[in-house]
Amino acid sequence: EPHRRLLLESYARLDPDRVHVVRGSVDADRFSTGEGGAYVRELHGIPEDAFVVGMLAHFQPGRGQPLLVRAVEEARRRAPRSDIRLALIGKGEAQAEIEAEISRVGLRGEVALYGFRDADLPQHIRSCDVTVLLEEGNDASCRAVLQSLACGVAAKLIAGMAKLGSSQEAFSAGLLSQIGRAALAGRCARRCAGSAPRSARRRGTSTCMRAGA
């Protein structure tokens, strides 16, 4: 809806009755069923008990992957547990820049580049404990958040953060806090349900935060 208002404000000749919002959606059956992501972790050498932060977004300037790489590196240094990993799902023209940032901060062995996924996208999402989206895509639907939640994976929409490079320290602290909360929620769920670790992690929740809020 905010994009609709902006469009109408920018183009006064548009008829408001002919400008509609098509909200994002996902195939719930496709993303809520099927096998988990254990085999994806094994394929990429990610330990079963590692805490994996994922991001599903096109590799293009402005989507925030380099910022997330730096935040995960800082979170690994500050967190009580150092087994935080990063998984990036996607491809695009900014891949060289992203890989350079991964090497610069010394996370080459701790970041998994999943590439573009199609039929097995749900399994790759389920290999993550939480996914993060820093900027909307071209269609502004934030479909990656919906896909994660449909998979039962916690999703964090931190809108606007990719444009606030000067807020790196605040963002890293916020990410660390969110990781801690998600990990605690997983442990509590396992205690209550008496279930295996990976099944508990698939209980999805969503938090939406605005940068600077």
Side-chain angles (χ1 to χ4, degrees):
E1 193 62 36
H3 294 281
R4 177 180 181 275
R5 290 197 299 269
L6 179 61
L7 187 65
L8 292 174
E9 290 170 1
S10 302
Y11 300 93
R13 297 179 60 181
L14 289 176
D15 180 357
D17 293 333
R18 303 186 67 179
V19 179
H20 304 281
V21 176
V22 178
R23 304 191 184 280
S25 62
V26 298
D27 182 343
D29 290 337
R30 177 190 174 199
F31 284 91
S32 63
T33 59
E35 62 183 305
Y39 88 91
V40 177
R41 288 194 174 214
E42 183 177 358
L43 180 65
H44 290 272
I46 301 174
E48 182 182 357
D49 59 351
F51 190 92
V52 180
V53 179
M55 184 176 185
L56 171 58
H58 184 63
F59 288 5
Q60 67 184 55
R63 295 306 297 273
Q65 285 94 345
L67 175 62
L68 185 58
V69 168
R70 294 192 294 273
V72 167
E73 187 276 331
E74 184 169 342
R76 282 174 57 86
R77 286 189 285 108
R78 297 173 53 183
R81 54 184 294 178
S82 61
D83 57 344
I84 301 171
R85 304 293 183 97
L86 176 61
L88 298 176
I89 306 174
K91 67 176 184 178
E93 60 273 23
Q95 179 151 345
E97 175 192 354
I98 294 168
E99 291 189 15
E101 188 64 19
I102 293 170
S103 296
R104 188 189 71 80
V105 300
L107 288 186
R108 176 59 64 180
E110 318 302 332
V111 179
L113 298 175
Y114 286 172
F116 174 78
R117 314 312 309 179
D118 188 8
D120 59 356
L121 176 59
Q123 289 75 32
H124 281 74
I125 293 176
R126 291 193 193 103
S127 74
C128 304
D129 293 281
V130 60
T131 63
V132 177
L133 186 66
L134 302 185
E135 287 297 336
E136 300 169 334
N138 294 334
D139 61 4
S141 68
C142 299
R143 187 169 57 251
V145 173
L146 301 178
Q147 291 170 334
S148 293
L149 294 177
C151 284
V153 174
K156 312 295 180 184
L157 168 60
I158 313 178
M161 276 307 312
K163 298 176 182 176
L164 298 179
S166 60
S167 300
Q168 170 71 46
E169 184 177 349
F171 173 51
S172 298
L175 176 64
L176 183 58
S177 174
Q178 292 297 331
I179 290 173
R181 292 178 186 176
L184 178 61
R187 287 196 295 270
C188 290
R190 289 196 295 274
R191 287 197 207 101
C192 293
S195 57
R198 294 305 301 164
S199 64
R201 290 174 184 165
R202 291 197 294 268
R203 293 174 173 82
T205 57
S206 175
T207 298
C208 180
M209 299 183 292
R210 290 282 167 185

